[in-house]
RNA sequence: UCCUGCGUAGCUCAAUGGUAGAGUAGGUGACUGUUAAUCACUUGGUUGUUGGUUCGAGUCCAACCGCAGGAGCCA
């Protein structure tokens, strides 16, 4: 670049991208980045031993995986190596750093392999290491959550999780939604829904008392009672009503004593909120987001999806592919009730307009009627939150749930009530104190706009995209009742 | 929280109320460009905990602990 030339943003960007791509300071090459074009050259990889097959011909096959992709790499270690004897005493799980030539593989099962010039044993394992070659149940793996990332199934799950996270940010930022960080500690009794974890620095053994004999929270850290957030929605609404389109993506906490395969005490939630969106655009936003996620996964996680399709859920790939282009069915709650009544099927719980859809009802709708996700809108106001916009019929609200086969509700959302007087009367019906929601009401008092949004349970999306049956296996370290290990 | 089921070798699982078994991993040996390698031999157990019934309990009963599936709540 000649002296005196102004460096443009594009120049800086190109230079930055070059550097980012090369990562030339890294001590090892990731297995996923080993390419045919490197045949004949010396490469260095690091990873964990999956199996070792010794040959009395004087060499061993080491199958090494580094987590960067589903498939590992086969390393051929010859007895000429100085530490060969030591190598034949390494076990599954041993950490190795291998330098050698990338060569075409004469054997079946892999296009190339590494002919080692050195194998450094960084750490061996012994018989007490749980992850031996044989099958280990998912239940057992939960007991060793700190090690389970070394397995095929959890590794694949976390790679899918990572790509779904990337797809989430790509989709929303790519559509001009601003990524907003909402607080984790909150004082609003958010929605009155769900038990909350209390946050306090008071001495639990001997808390300060007020005049009425209750605990004096004015002496607590925040000078009031506080909790971990059960949703960033109210805060999200505030910024949407000023910055237009925003989304949050972060941890959320529910202290419900739920012991099921689809509930966690700590989970991640994606919550977009958009000004001027009505329920109609909200449902389309949800469908567009899901479609984007499925397409992105099929493009970026082929081997992992193939694994799930083969070992976990036979129809997974076809289902995801089908959903990339499919129209997403949308029906009203009233239509859903009619479908259930006409089903001619005996349900354990009766179908009754006005009561919430039971799990068996939701499953019937998406597994037997629509054979895929289905969006249900316009629920009776009595069974939904106070902030959802009242329809003109005075009986239903502009709520939407996206129901998925096997998992149930993956998305819950609504167009928000933007009329101050209606919102106040709805809060009164729910016995909520307006003083607690003063700032939330301000959004309607000053420059109110129609707006809508939804919350997506990120782990449930990962479940849906992997076929994994238990939500505890799609988050690295699950938090559930009676379990906060690791 | 409720209902149902389960808890046996490092792991995956057997075992009519009557001597605790297999596969796999580990060990030893054989064999081999192998790939869930193969073959032979072999180490390994306070049957979740506590109490009860019985001549005798892994097995039957009770309580507790833990886990799973389903339900409720929800995302």
């Amino acid at each position: 670049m000649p002296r005196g030339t102004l460096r443009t943003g594009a120049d800086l960007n190109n230079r930055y991208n070059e550097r980012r791509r090369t990562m030339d300071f890294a001590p090892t090459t990731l297995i996923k980045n080993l390419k045919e074009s490197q045949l004949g050259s010396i490469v260095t990889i690091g990873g964990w031993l999956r199996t070792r097959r010794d040959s009395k011909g004087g060499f061993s096959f080491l199958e090494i995986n580094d987590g960067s992709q589903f498939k590992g790499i086969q390393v051929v270690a010859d007895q000429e190596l100085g530490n060969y004897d030591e190598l034949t005493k390494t076990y599954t799980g041993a950490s190795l750093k291998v330098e050698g030539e990338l060569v075409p593989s004469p054997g079946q099962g892999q296009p190339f392999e590494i002919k080692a010039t050195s194998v450094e044993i960084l750490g061996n394992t012994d018989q007490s290491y749980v992850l031996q070659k044989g099958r280990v149940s998912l239940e057992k793996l939960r007991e060793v959550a700190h090690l389970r990332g070394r397995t095929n199934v959890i590794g694949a799950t976390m790679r899918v999780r990572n790509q779904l996270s990337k797809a989430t940010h790509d989709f929303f930022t790519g559509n001009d939604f601003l990524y907003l960080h909402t607080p984790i500690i909150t004082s609003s009794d958010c929605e009155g829904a769900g038990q909350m974890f209390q946050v306090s620095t008071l001495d639990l053994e001997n808390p300060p008392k007020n005049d009425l004999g209750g605990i004096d929270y004015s002496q607590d850290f925040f000078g009031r009672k506080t909790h971990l957030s059960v949703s960033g929605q109210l805060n999200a609404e505030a910024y949407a009503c000023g910055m237009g389109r925003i989304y949050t993506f972060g941890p959320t906490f529910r202290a419900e004593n739920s012991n099921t395969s689809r509930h966690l005490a700590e989970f991640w939630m994606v919550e977009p909120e958009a000004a001027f969106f009505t329920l109609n655009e909200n449902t389309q936003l949800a469908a567009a987001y899901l479609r984007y996620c499925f397409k992105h996964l099929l493009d970026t996680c082929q081997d992992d999806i193939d694994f799930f399709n083969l070992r976990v859920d036979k129809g997974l790939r076809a289902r995801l592919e089908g959903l990339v282009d499919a129209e997403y069915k949308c029906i009203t709650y009233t239509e859903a009730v009619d479908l259930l009544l006409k089903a001619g099927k005996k349900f354990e719980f009766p179908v009754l307009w006005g009561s919430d859809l039971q799990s068996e009802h939701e499953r019937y709708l998406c597994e037997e009627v629509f054979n895929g996700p289905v969006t249900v809108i316009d629920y009776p106001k009595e069974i939904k939150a106070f902030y959802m916009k009242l329809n003109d019929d005075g009986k239903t609200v502009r709520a939407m749930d996206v129901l998925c086969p096997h998992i149930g509700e993956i998305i819950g959302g609504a167009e928000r009530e933007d009329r101050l007087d209606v919102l106040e009367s709805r809060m009164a019906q729910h016995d909520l104190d307006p003083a607690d929601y003063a700032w939330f009401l301000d959004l309607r008092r000053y420059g109110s706009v129609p707006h809508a949004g939804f919350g997506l349970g990120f782990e449930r999306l990962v479940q849906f995209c992997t076929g994994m049956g238990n939500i505890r296996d799609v988050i690295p370290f699950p938090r559930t009742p009676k379990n906060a290990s690791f």
Side-chain angles (χ1 to χ4, degrees), chain A residues 10-26:
Chain A
D11 286 335
L12 283 169
N13 210 29
N14 287 339
R15 284 164 56 86
Y16 170 73
N17 279 335
E18 258 171 50
R19 183 164 297 182
R20 187 182 61 171
R21 269 198 297 271
T22 58
M23 198 79 172
D24 50 11
F25 53 84

Side-chain angles (χ1 to χ4, degrees), chain A residues 209-214 216:
Chain A
K209 296 287 174 63
N210 58 24
D211 297 343
L212 299 169
D216 182 9

